[in-house]
Amino acid sequence: MAHLRSRRRLALAVPVVLSLTASLGFLPAAASAASAASAASAAPRTAPAEQAADAPALAYVVNTEADRRTIASVKRAIAAADGKVVVTYDRIGVIVVHSANPDFGKEIRETRGVRSAGATRTAPLTAAGTTDEGAADYLSTAEAARTQAASARTPGSEPLEADQWDLRAIGADRAAKINDGSRKVTVAVIDTGVDDTHPDLAPNFSAAQSANCVGGKADTSEGAWRPYTADDYHGTHVAGEIAAARNGVGVAGVAPGVKVAGIKVSDPDNGLFYPENVVCAFVFAADHGVEITNNSYYVDPWLYNCTDDPDQKAIVDAVNRAQLYAQKKGTLHLASAGNSNHDLDSDAIVDDSSPDDSTPVPRTIDPHECFDVPTQLPGVVTVSATGVQNLKSYYSTYGKGVVDVAAPGGDRRYQLPDTPSKDGRILSTMPNGAYAFLQGTSMASPHAAGVAALLKSEHPRATPAQLQELLKAQANNPGCPDSYDQDGDGTQDATCEGGDRVNGFYGSGIVDALRAVK
């Protein structure tokens, strides 16, 4: 996954996990999120002012019983342990705290009413992960002209639609002529921000359902949801894949009639998606009537969160509470599977990228006990990526019983389309009115989210669970390929387990926008 890592990371641009399991391998003390702070200050407790000078401040999530009396009691304990409450989510019992006390996590976990608590990062707070694969490849003026000429040969097409093989692969171009989606349905893009001034996004953007959740507390001031810079393009690209308008400009989204919102969660200093930001995003989406969220990232700093580690357990607990709260209020979540070509149903995976906010410590984990968050959380739709040949993309993570559906995410290496640009990646919107190709499971998830939005438009009373079943029912499953030796070296690059109805590469199948509206 690129860093911007791709599923932010979960996209591969070209200029362009929930099982809750214990670690199978050696999990050194250095892997604990608070260890960096602890190592920096092994001396006895001192006055808060002195601690602040000597020890770095970390962010924590403290998960309690969700009743007022318990929360009030825990807040007093937080203050006594030299913690400062940033925000409290009373309805789910999650408190976001900052503290320079290196023993804060240990002390607060001993407090009555605390279910779990831990640091959400290994690097100190500074003043103040996605799933795409590679760098973004911007469409040049000459390329755009060639694509526009080709698009003009198909009446009713958007100017750049000839390069959108992905829409045709799932029948989204034909679906738009039947039902392009309801204005009563909103898909929130939890990501790096969305440039709502883009001419392809402005017609469908919902500012009232958008916010900046960086730091764990929602900021709804005008434009707070926009990307920091043009380099923070991930969320804008994702938004276009879902709901770029059919307005005679640029590209089209899978569901061009629905609304799209932006909830920014990427840290301004390093682009990471910290747990408290994502907790804020899920709660905000739920409280603002969002029907669907797209999550093309994993929660930093751990690619997989092992519940035998107190910090990682607290992260899983906090994010899961938030996403379940949203589900109960009627919000369906879709998430990208990841770009590591990992089998999430295997016995062991080597994670050599965590923590990604400091120095990674290689470890072997069991994906049934250490989870990619939010991808492997209960009720979240996990989406793998395919290319133009309806074959799993070479980078896409997979796993029987984990992947729910598949969708176009692009494959510039082995699956090239017969389009004007002959680019196997996904063309979509970029900040400042631009367009570019990206690939990754970051791009697959929004295609599935767009189809889910069409299904919600057709079935407005469907619950998240019912909507997920509808999404699976309309999917087309190509079954496991006879061979998956992509580079032709005689070795299988991944092993697909399962049959024609459900398997590890595609789950229940590749989503189908046309079937969704029929």
Side-chain angles (χ1 to χ4, degrees), residues 374-387:
T375 292
Q376 288 180 277
L377 294 174
V380 174
V381 178
T382 302
V383 187
S384 62
T386 57

Side-chain angles (χ1 to χ4, degrees), residues 14 46 63 91 93 155 197 218 234 259 302 350 356 412 442 469:
V14 179
T46 56
N63 306 306
R91 283 164 290 181
T197 68
H234 194 267
K259 293 189 294 184
W302 308 96
V350 175
D356 60 13
R412 71 187 182 98
S442 272
E469 289 308 309

